[in-house]
Amino acid sequence: MAIADILFGRPLATKEERAEKIGPLAGIPIFGLDALSSAAYGPEAALTLLIPLGAAGVAYILPITAAILGLLLILYFSYRQTIAAYPAGGGSYTVARENLGDGAGLLAAAALMIDYVLTAAVGISAGVGALVSAIPGLQQHTLAICLSILLIVTVVNLRGVREAGVAFMIPTYLFVGCLFIMIGVGAVKALAAGGHPVPVEPLPRMPPTTAVVSLWLLLKVFSSGCTAMTGVEAVSNGVKAFREPTAPNAQRTLTIIITILMVLLGGIAWLASVYGIGATDPVKNYESVLSMLLRAIAGRGVFYFVSIGSILLVLSLSANTAFADFPRLCRIIARDSYLPHSFASTGRRLVYSNGIYILALLTGGLLTLFGGVTDRLIPLYAVGAFMAFTLSQAGMVRHWMRQGGGWHNIVVNGTGALATGITTVVVLTAKFLDGAWVTVLLIPLMLAVMIWVRRHYDAVAAETATEEGVDFRDVQDPIVVAPIAGWNKVTQGALRFAYTLSNEVRAIHISAGDETEDLFCQSWTELAVSPARAAGLPPPKLVVIDSPYRLLLTPILHYVLQVEEENPGRQIAVLLPEMVERHWYHYFLHNQRAEILKAWLLIKGNQQIILVNVPWYLRA
Amino acid sequence: MAIADILFGRPLATKEERAEKIGPLAGIPIFGLDALSSAAYGPEAALTLLIPLGAAGVAYILPITAAILGLLLILYFSYRQTIAAYPAGGGSYTVARENLGDGAGLLAAAALMIDYVLTAAVGISAGVGALVSAIPGLQQHTLAICLSILLIVTVVNLRGVREAGVAFMIPTYLFVGCLFIMIGVGAVKALAAGGHPVPVEPLPRMPPTTAVVSLWLLLKVFSSGCTAMTGVEAVSNGVKAFREPTAPNAQRTLTIIITILMVLLGGIAWLASVYGIGATDPVKNYESVLSMLLRAIAGRGVFYFVSIGSILLVLSLSANTAFADFPRLCRIIARDSYLPHSFASTGRRLVYSNGIYILALLTGGLLTLFGGVTDRLIPLYAVGAFMAFTLSQAGMVRHWMRQGGGWHNIVVNGTGALATGITTVVVLTAKFLDGAWVTVLLIPLMLAVMIWVRRHYDAVAAETATEEGVDFRDVQDPIVVAPIAGWNKVTQGALRFAYTLSNEVRAIHISAGDETEDLFCQSWTELAVSPARAAGLPPPKLVVIDSPYRLLLTPILHYVLQVEEENPGRQIAVLLPEMVERHWYHYFLHNQRAEILKAWLLIKGNQQIILVNVPWYLRA
């Protein structure tokens, strides 16, 4: 296990679970990376759609950002209440399901799952976008860099939540620090220059105007800008990960995250408009808006590269929010039997490994499909998030109505539900043809799968349900069948164990018909029959089956089925000796045959046939 | 399993093995593809090294091909004898091991395994070389095309040997037919033109002379040309695949393969020299020698494209020889315990799946590493093949000396051993720095692994060896521990089965401490205790363990270990109910927890703890 230990950290005993709890300082990077880092692609996504309006279009970013900040504030108050009301973890799924019913819950779940995959994909692609802005020669390797970063994030997350927090804390605070300095210096320069500062370095010229402004265009700009809000719900999903008192710690974390995010979004939009910085073509000679802003304000010096470095790190690792929350969400859904129960098992380091694998696969697929270009991913984004926001807030309204939580609470969450509901419709309409239709297709598909899984579990439960007690009449010893390849201590142990189960033991030996076989059969009396007689037990019966082509498994399988047929009602216990290795690399050397026989017996067998693994421990 | 069926064919029962035998007609494509197709890269590999000599250098191809044909003839007679002497399959490994000892056998095995990987890689890369000669626009996608072809070959081979033969028969015979027509027409034109025919189409001009001829250069040319001989041993490895009478059928196949190969090699070399066709740069504006020959003789018409098509198919699918023989070789080595025994198990369709997976992986790695360029792979090639040839022929000499096989036989194989031995030294020396050193490094590594595997199996055999009979004294019923989650038919069945094993049964229930738990405990008496008393059995003991964090596996594991400690010498049988699904996609829905518990019990447990899988069959 040594290699796995280095990669994923030593396995944690389940007891250590309590220690893996975090406070706000660690909570901001873990649950805030997505929200904060979206400052780096949200404004840019909006500005990209303003390109056709030319240099004059940049000014529209200010009113649109104002609308986005207003919406963000509404969301903040809504989610503060959710955290307080659901200290055990109030994800959209839980809140919608408990208050609005299973259907709404599943809808929220599907929307969120899609959203997390996009969070991971957009985070990574935008991070690589920052990198290729600084080093244009790397642009042709965009996809390869994206996938490498995905691999690193996956491995870090398989190590477990606390280490992931530590690994991401420094870049997050560096990122926030750099952007605050940029906004501060930029603000001073802008004010000193009377609102018309001169860039330190020449910037790419905006292309000429090719369109006129329209309400439709502004709606699309707003919809794209809304991607800056994704990730706000992360804290409320993960309340349980915080240390006591969990709810206040989580609320404090949310407050800090939202405050920072609003400063970043507002600052970037304002500086972009005063410097006249628009977006560039996302594929050819791409340079990110933040890269241009940094160059305009501070030039291409040490600060520029430190900032770009922190943006690269934070953006690509913002995928971590998805990696922290997606498996948690899957676990909650799996507990309600809408996803396979294996999603609810914790892995080596108390993280939900299955969820991580699935997320890594989907994200990798999406990045490959879209060549790692953020602009192509944006239209798919935000629909899921806002759908989940709406369901969650609507659920909270219902929650207060039931609980009698007071008008104040209902108004806060009602406003949230209304605002996000309208935004969902706007985003879906504005970006339907650009890619949002994928989400519209995926969600019913995911609903169908989740319902199918639940139906299956329900059917199994119904099939096995009973109110009756055990029928202990006519309990008979099983017939024990022990396949025996030759004489050794494993055989000895298996035969002795066989007699602890039953006095009716049959050893089955597959013979290729050569001399050593005759010797084996002759020694049988001495090795097994006589000792059994001496101990007063009925001796084991030796069944020798000729197999000229050296087939092993088929004759054993047939024999077991035949014994089962000849003894209706009797249980047949098949002994399968199993070598237990001391090193994982020994695994490939043993037990393959026993595994195949076991699988065959399960497939071809029936309720009467029981498989008994008799372990043999090899010395180290 | 429907998808797997379509891809790999329906699983074959082991009984059908006998039907999977072939005659010469199917044997030529299966075991001859590598040998025959090497006509397409062998002469070209030699000509590539003659490029520095300019137009005049092409003439040297004639004496070098003559030397190669002589060597090929010697090999032919050698291997004819091997087939006769080893009708059960006389691969270099078997022959060297039986006659020269284990060390020589393993050396041959390692050499052959390397050779098979290169056979697959070079076959595919050269095939794609033919394709990009005809369609130069595809040259930039060389690697992607190589890997796609590898995937197809792998899937076809996982379907099993007979179908692979049918799938490759048509291209092989088309390839041979096309090249025979080309050589025939070329010969007529050349003779009619008095030995100086005019090409139908203009050919690329040879670059100017940049070197003078030297013995060292000619040795390198010969070494590269020897790659045309690889694959000759395939038939002798696979004798068992032929139908009765196996040896004569295999010999007939070998005769046909060698005859065709000699005609192809001789014809291509002669025509290249009379048309003055040399090789082109292998990376920039590449065109294969056969493409130029076809254009020179017949022009770029229908015949050209049919021929190139057949070359593409045959060359890339020549990898099939490796896919037919590599798994067989692994199986033979695994039977001698030098490779994991799982290599000896047949897969779904009676092919040795593990060997196929390994070969596909290694070939893919090699193609990726060398960008799918044949010329870069050539220096690694041939060393392994000739090392194996030498060991095999030397082994045959020893065989005849032991068996008293007559001077004739000894001389034939002795000549073979001497000729291939000298060639091995020449190839190794001439190409050492160009890449043959990789082989020199790899072979000891592989020997070390094989010896380590064997030592492990020997150590296990020694550890478990015993001459003593079973000690049946004091055989006691096991203590049965049955983890129980709730009350259903699975629980019922498990409890009833528990009493067939022993009268000492303990049901262990993990409680989260809520109300439903109390209900379960109250009903226990009615459901289990009373029926047991009524049947005159000691009632099962219910052990309830509180687990506030809903951990399931740790408490069960601890309890089992504790029972084991309190009852020294007693066997503890842990019942693990297992859901048997009717569809493979149900697999993900069940048993994961039981699997984890089983793995934990095996790792943390000891010889006293036995795992009993109690299957529960779900309705379809």
Side-chain angles (χ1 to χ4, degrees):
Chain A
M1 291 291 179
I3 299 171
D5 280 356
I6 292 164
L7 276 175
F8 307 123
R10 119 195 114 76
L12 292 180
T14 326
K15 269 195 242 161
E16 298 176 54
E17 189 153 26
R18 291 291 289 174
E20 296 276 316
K21 300 281 174 171
I22 56 175
L25 196 72
I28 291 170
I30 290 181
F31 296 107
L33 253 166
D34 174 32
L36 292 178
S37 64
S38 48
Y41 56 78
E44 170 153 348
L47 283 168
T48 304
L49 288 172
L50 289 171
I51 294 179
L53 299 185
V58 175
Y60 289 101
I61 195 69
L62 282 180
I64 281 170
T65 302
I68 289 170
L69 292 185
L71 195 54
L72 191 55
L73 214 58
I74 295 174
L75 265 181
Y76 165 66
F77 287 108
S78 278
Y79 271 110
R80 249 186 89 86
Q81 294 197 161
T82 307
I83 292 171
Y86 284 89
S92 307
Y93 168 69
T94 312
V95 176
R97 183 154 182 266
E98 283 190 9
N99 297 296
L100 304 175
D102 288 3
L106 290 182
L107 196 58
L112 272 177
M113 281 195 269
I114 291 175
D115 190 55
Y116 285 140
V117 176
L118 281 158
T119 298
V122 168
I124 291 173
S125 74
V128 175
L131 180 67
V132 303
S133 300
I135 311 169
L138 290 177
Q139 193 158 357
Q140 52 177 321
H141 303 296
T142 300
L143 180 58
I145 303 174
C146 285
L147 295 179
S148 314
I149 291 174
L150 175 63
L151 187 72
I152 296 170
V153 174
T154 307
V155 169
V156 168
N157 272 280
L158 285 172
R159 290 185 65 101
V161 135
R162 199 176 43 183
E163 258 124 326
V166 171
F168 299 157
M169 217 184 265
I170 297 165
T172 308
Y173 291 120
L174 187 66
F175 166 81
V176 172
C178 284
L179 290 201
F180 274 16
I181 292 173
M182 177 192 85
I183 291 170
V185 174
V188 169
K189 284 195 177 180
L191 294 175
H196 294 289
V198 180
V200 176
E201 283 192 13
L203 298 170
R205 237 193 271 160
M206 288 289 290
T209 309
T210 59
V212 290
V213 68
S214 65
L215 183 63
W216 178 245
L217 180 69
L218 291 182
L219 280 180
K220 288 181 86 162
V221 173
F222 171 76
S223 301
S224 282
C226 279
T227 53
M229 254 174 292
T230 54
V232 170
E233 81 293 346
V235 177
S236 71
N237 283 337
V239 183
K240 260 184 72 174
F242 286 91
R243 78 166 75 94
E244 302 279 351
T246 50
N249 270 328
Q251 282 182 327
R252 217 165 294 148
T253 307
L254 181 67
T255 309
I256 302 171
I257 290 171
I258 299 279
T259 310
I260 298 175
L261 179 58
M262 290 181 72
V263 173
L264 295 183
L265 291 179
I268 291 167
W270 178 59
L271 288 174
S273 77
V274 295
Y275 275 97
I277 289 173
T280 60
D281 183 293
V283 178
K284 252 193 310 184
N285 301 320
Y286 170 77
E287 182 173 2
S288 77
V289 169
L290 281 185
S291 166
M292 288 185 274
L293 260 181
L294 282 164
R295 285 205 294 122
I297 291 168
R300 219 173 135 85
V302 173
F303 179 68
Y304 171 84
F305 284 102
V306 170
S307 302
I308 287 284
S310 75
I311 294 170
L312 160 65
L313 272 177
V314 161
L315 261 176
S316 30
L317 302 185
S318 80
N320 196 55
T321 303
F323 274 89
D325 263 6
F326 183 85
R328 271 177 215 274
L329 176 65
C330 289
R331 183 200 197 185
I332 297 171
I333 302 171
R335 281 208 174 152
D336 291 332
S337 295
Y338 284 110
L339 278 180
H341 288 154
S342 54
F343 281 99
S345 337
T346 48
R348 286 172 56 88
R349 293 206 31 110
L350 302 182
V351 288
Y352 313 110
S353 314
N354 279 331
I356 290 178
Y357 294 131
I358 298 272
L359 179 60
L361 267 177
L362 293 176
T363 307
L366 214 56
L367 283 171
T368 309
L369 210 62
F370 291 94
V373 176
T374 311
D375 186 59
R376 295 187 193 144
L377 291 162
I378 289 287
L380 280 79
Y381 207 12
V383 181
F386 276 88
M387 205 179 272
F389 288 162
T390 311
L391 288 163
S392 159
Q393 302 314 318
M396 285 305 295
V397 172
R398 185 75 184 277
H399 172 84
W400 299 124
M401 283 165 77
R402 277 190 188 162
Q403 305 257 318
W407 279 108
H408 169 78
N409 288 328
I410 294 179
V411 168
V412 168
N413 284 125
T415 313
L418 195 70
T420 52
I422 293 171
T423 310
T424 307
V425 175
V426 168
V427 171
L428 198 56
T429 316
K431 309 216 268 177
F432 189 81
L433 290 178
D434 299 330
W437 60 270
V438 176
T439 316
V440 176
L441 269 185
L442 265 180
I443 285 181
L445 195 74
M446 293 169 69
L447 289 181
V449 168
M450 289 192 283
I451 290 168
W452 176 83
V453 168
R454 172 65 183 252
R455 285 224 179 116
H456 175 81
Y457 282 124
D458 285 348
V460 169
E463 190 179 328
T464 59
T466 180
E467 296 286 311
E468 284 171 35
V470 192
D471 179 4
F472 281 125
R473 287 168 299 175
D474 307 320
V475 165
Q476 261 188 299
D477 276 359
I479 299 171
V480 180
V481 175
I484 280 171
W487 193 258
N488 55 37
K489 289 183 188 161
V490 183
T491 316
Q492 262 187 350
L495 279 178
R496 190 179 148 89
F497 176 70
Y499 275 88
T500 71
L501 300 182
S502 167
N503 280 344
E504 196 168 345
V505 176
R506 306 190 185 175
I508 170 165
H509 179 70
I510 306 301
S511 156
D514 53 24
E515 287 169 23
T516 52
E517 309 296 339
D518 295 341
L519 280 174
F520 176 74
C521 297
Q522 281 162 23
S523 60
W524 179 254
T525 313
E526 181 196 335
L527 294 170
V529 177
S530 309
R533 289 228 171 90
L537 296 168
K541 188 174 155 194
L542 179 64
V543 181
V544 178
I545 299 177
D546 276 336
S547 176
Y549 304 125
R550 292 179 172 274
L551 305 181
L552 279 171
L553 304 182
T554 325
I556 296 176
L557 179 68
H558 286 171
Y559 180 74
V560 171
L561 291 175
Q562 184 195 325
V563 171
E564 191 271 325
E565 215 165 89
E566 287 167 4
N567 297 276
R570 288 290 289 278
Q571 304 266 15
I572 318 294
V574 181
L575 297 196
L576 301 169
E578 181 150 4
M579 295 280 185
V580 183
E581 307 89 359
R582 292 297 175 196
H583 300 287
W584 61 268
Y585 46 82
H586 286 161
Y587 170 78
F588 304 99
L589 301 176
H590 297 292
N591 300 332
Q592 314 288 342
R593 202 169 271 159
E595 287 294 319
I596 297 173
L597 180 58
K598 189 190 149 188
W600 270 35
L601 281 169
L602 277 179
I603 293 166
K604 304 270 180 183
N606 57 47
Q607 224 93 338
Q608 300 306 113
I609 296 168
I610 307 290
L611 308 173
V612 182
N613 298 95
V614 186
W616 177 270
Y617 286 82
L618 292 172
R619 279 194 298 258
Chain B
M1 290 290 180
I3 300 170
D5 280 356
I6 292 163
L7 276 174
F8 307 125
R10 118 197 113 79
L12 292 180
T14 326
K15 268 195 240 157
E16 297 177 56
E17 187 151 29
R18 292 289 290 173
E20 294 276 317
K21 301 282 174 171
I22 55 173
L25 196 72
I28 291 170
I30 290 181
F31 296 108
L33 253 165
D34 173 31
L36 292 178
S37 64
S38 47
Y41 55 78
E44 171 153 348
L47 283 168
T48 303
L49 288 172
L50 288 171
I51 293 179
L53 299 184
V58 176
Y60 289 102
I61 195 68
L62 282 181
I64 281 169
T65 302
I68 290 170
L69 292 185
L71 195 54
L72 190 55
L73 213 59
I74 295 173
L75 266 182
Y76 165 65
F77 285 110
S78 279
Y79 271 109
R80 250 187 89 87
Q81 295 197 159
T82 307
I83 292 171
Y86 284 88
S92 307
Y93 167 69
T94 314
V95 175
R97 181 153 184 267
E98 284 191 9
N99 297 295
L100 304 175
D102 287 4
L106 289 182
L107 194 60
L112 272 177
M113 281 195 269
I114 291 175
D115 190 54
Y116 285 139
V117 176
L118 280 158
T119 298
V122 168
I124 291 173
S125 74
V128 176
L131 180 68
V132 304
S133 300
I135 311 168
L138 291 177
Q139 193 158 356
Q140 52 176 321
H141 304 295
T142 300
L143 181 58
I145 304 174
C146 284
L147 294 179
S148 314
I149 291 174
L150 175 63
L151 188 71
I152 297 170
V153 174
T154 306
V155 169
V156 167
N157 271 280
L158 285 172
R159 289 184 66 99
V161 135
R162 201 175 43 182
E163 257 123 326
V166 171
F168 297 158
M169 217 185 265
I170 297 165
T172 308
Y173 291 120
L174 188 66
F175 166 80
V176 172
C178 284
L179 290 200
F180 273 17
I181 293 174
M182 178 191 85
I183 291 170
V185 173
V188 169
K189 285 196 177 179
L191 293 175
H196 295 287
V198 180
V200 176
E201 283 193 12
L203 298 171
R205 239 193 269 159
M206 289 288 291
T209 310
T210 59
V212 290
V213 67
S214 65
L215 182 61
W216 178 245
L217 180 70
L218 291 183
L219 282 180
K220 288 180 88 162
V221 174
F222 170 75
S223 300
S224 281
C226 278
T227 53
M229 256 175 290
T230 54
V232 170
E233 80 294 346
V235 178
S236 70
N237 283 337
V239 183
K240 262 183 68 175
F242 286 91
R243 77 166 76 92
E244 302 278 352
T246 50
N249 269 329
Q251 283 181 328
R252 217 165 294 148
T253 308
L254 181 66
T255 308
I256 301 171
I257 290 171
I258 299 280
T259 309
I260 298 175
L261 180 57
M262 291 180 73
V263 172
L264 295 182
L265 291 180
I268 290 167
W270 179 59
L271 287 174
S273 78
V274 295
Y275 274 99
I277 289 173
T280 60
D281 184 294
V283 178
K284 252 193 309 184
N285 300 319
Y286 170 77
E287 182 174 2
S288 78
V289 169
L290 281 185
S291 167
M292 288 186 274
L293 260 181
L294 282 164
R295 286 205 293 122
I297 292 168
R300 219 173 135 85
V302 173
F303 179 69
Y304 171 84
F305 284 102
V306 170
S307 302
I308 286 286
S310 76
I311 294 171
L312 161 65
L313 272 177
V314 160
L315 261 175
S316 30
L317 302 185
S318 81
N320 195 54
T321 303
F323 274 89
D325 263 8
F326 183 86
R328 270 176 216 274
L329 176 65
C330 289
R331 181 201 198 186
I332 297 172
I333 302 172
R335 282 209 173 151
D336 292 332
S337 295
Y338 284 110
L339 279 179
H341 289 154
S342 53
F343 280 99
S345 337
T346 49
R348 286 171 58 86
R349 289 195 51 95
L350 303 181
V351 288
Y352 312 112
S353 315
N354 278 332
I356 290 177
Y357 294 131
I358 298 271
L359 180 60
L361 266 178
L362 292 177
T363 307
L366 215 56
L367 282 170
T368 310
L369 211 63
F370 291 94
V373 176
T374 310
D375 185 60
R376 294 185 193 147
L377 291 163
I378 290 287
L380 279 78
Y381 206 14
V383 180
F386 275 89
M387 204 179 271
F389 288 163
T390 311
L391 287 163
S392 160
Q393 302 314 318
M396 285 306 294
V397 172
R398 185 75 184 279
H399 172 84
W400 298 126
M401 283 164 78
R402 277 188 187 162
Q403 305 257 319
W407 278 108
H408 170 77
N409 287 329
I410 295 180
V411 168
V412 167
N413 284 123
T415 313
L418 195 71
T420 51
I422 293 170
T423 310
T424 308
V425 175
V426 168
V427 171
L428 199 57
T429 316
K431 307 215 270 179
F432 189 80
L433 291 178
D434 298 330
W437 61 270
V438 176
T439 316
V440 176
L441 270 186
L442 264 181
I443 285 181
L445 195 74
M446 295 170 67
L447 288 181
V449 169
M450 289 193 281
I451 290 169
W452 175 82
V453 168
R454 172 64 184 253
R455 284 224 179 115
H456 175 82
Y457 281 124
D458 285 348
V460 170
E463 190 179 329
T464 58
T466 180
E467 297 287 311
E468 284 170 36
V470 191
D471 180 4
F472 280 123
R473 287 169 299 176
D474 307 321
V475 165
Q476 262 187 298
D477 275 1
I479 298 170
V480 180
V481 175
I484 280 172
W487 194 257
N488 56 35
K489 289 184 188 161
V490 183
T491 315
Q492 262 187 350
L495 279 178
R496 189 180 149 89
F497 176 70
Y499 276 88
T500 71
L501 301 183
S502 168
N503 280 343
E504 197 167 345
V505 176
R506 306 190 185 176
I508 169 166
H509 179 70
I510 307 300
S511 157
D514 54 24
E515 287 168 25
T516 52
E517 309 296 340
D518 295 341
L519 280 174
F520 176 75
C521 297
Q522 282 162 22
S523 60
W524 179 254
T525 313
E526 179 196 335
L527 294 170
V529 176
S530 310
R533 288 227 171 91
L537 294 168
K541 188 174 156 194
L542 179 65
V543 181
V544 178
I545 299 178
D546 275 338
S547 176
Y549 304 126
R550 292 180 173 274
L551 305 181
L552 279 171
L553 303 182
T554 324
I556 296 176
L557 179 69
H558 286 170
Y559 180 74
V560 171
L561 291 175
Q562 184 195 325
V563 171
E564 192 269 327
E565 215 165 87
E566 288 167 3
N567 297 275
R570 287 289 289 278
Q571 304 267 16
I572 318 295
V574 182
L575 297 197
L576 302 169
E578 181 150 5
M579 295 280 184
V580 183
E581 307 89 1
R582 292 295 174 197
H583 300 287
W584 61 267
Y585 46 82
H586 286 161
Y587 171 77
F588 305 99
L589 302 176
H590 298 291
N591 299 331
Q592 315 286 341
R593 202 170 270 161
E595 287 294 317
I596 296 173
L597 181 58
K598 189 190 148 186
W600 270 36
L601 280 168
L602 276 180
I603 291 166
K604 305 267 180 187
N606 56 47
Q607 224 91 337
Q608 300 306 113
I609 297 167
I610 307 290
L611 308 173
V612 183
N613 298 299
V614 186
W616 178 271
Y617 287 81
L618 292 171
R619 280 195 299 258

